[in-house]
Amino acid sequence: MTKIKESSTNFANKQILANDCPEVFAANIIGGQWSLAICCYLINGSLRYNEIRKCLPNITERMLTLQLRKLEESGVVKRTVYAEVPLRVTYELTVIGYELSPIIRELGKWGKKLKGLSI
């Protein structure tokens, strides 16, 4: 996952579009295929890092870490570190993250419908 140079026209265009359109802003937060999938699994409750990895066997450790950090930075996911030996870390949706539940369910219904049409 590479970052876009802040001096590029592409970056400026994305910023303008996200500022003008709240739907684009929201899609940028959960827009990656992994971000949405992570949120889908966290709807059912908190999970540890390795539990999320088991749910998404094709994701690399680096990508999972990057996506979790992005979701945490966006305020969608909360990371909790427990002072235990060995260290225990859990991830869960925040209140804002749980507001995604009906949206994710509707996306799922829409996806099943489109998949049935064999597009």
Side-chain angles (χ1 to χ4, degrees), residues 83-115:
E84 298 174 357
V85 177
L87 195 65
R88 182 168 58 109
V89 179
T90 60
Y91 296 90
E92 62 185 314
L93 292 178
T94 61
V95 173
I96 293 169
Y98 276 111
E99 289 178 9
L100 283 170
S101 298
I103 297 164
I104 290 172
R105 287 190 177 90
E106 287 301 315
L107 274 172
K109 289 178 192 175
W110 187 61
K112 285 178 187 176
K113 181 180 174 182
L114 290 177
K115 197 173 182 180

Side-chain angles (χ1 to χ4, degrees), residues 33-96:
Q33 66 180 10
W34 296 118
S35 295
L36 186 56
I38 291 166
C39 290
C40 286
Y41 288 109
L42 291 177
I43 285 174
N44 299 318
S46 67
L47 293 172
R48 294 178 75 170
Y49 181 88
N50 284 330
E51 293 172 323
I52 299 170
R53 277 287 318 263
K54 287 177 186 173
C55 293
L56 302 167
N58 295 328
I59 193 170
T60 64
E61 288 187 29
R62 180 177 181 276
M63 183 55 69
L64 179 56
T65 300
L66 288 171
Q67 293 299 305
L68 286 168
R69 285 181 186 161
K70 177 185 170 194
L71 289 167
E72 185 181 6
E73 186 180 294
S74 300
V76 174
V77 168
K78 177 185 172 191
R79 179 179 187 260
T80 305
V81 180
Y82 296 91
E84 298 174 357
V85 177
L87 195 65
R88 182 168 58 109
V89 179
T90 60
Y91 296 90
E92 62 185 314
L93 292 178
T94 61
V95 173
I96 293 169

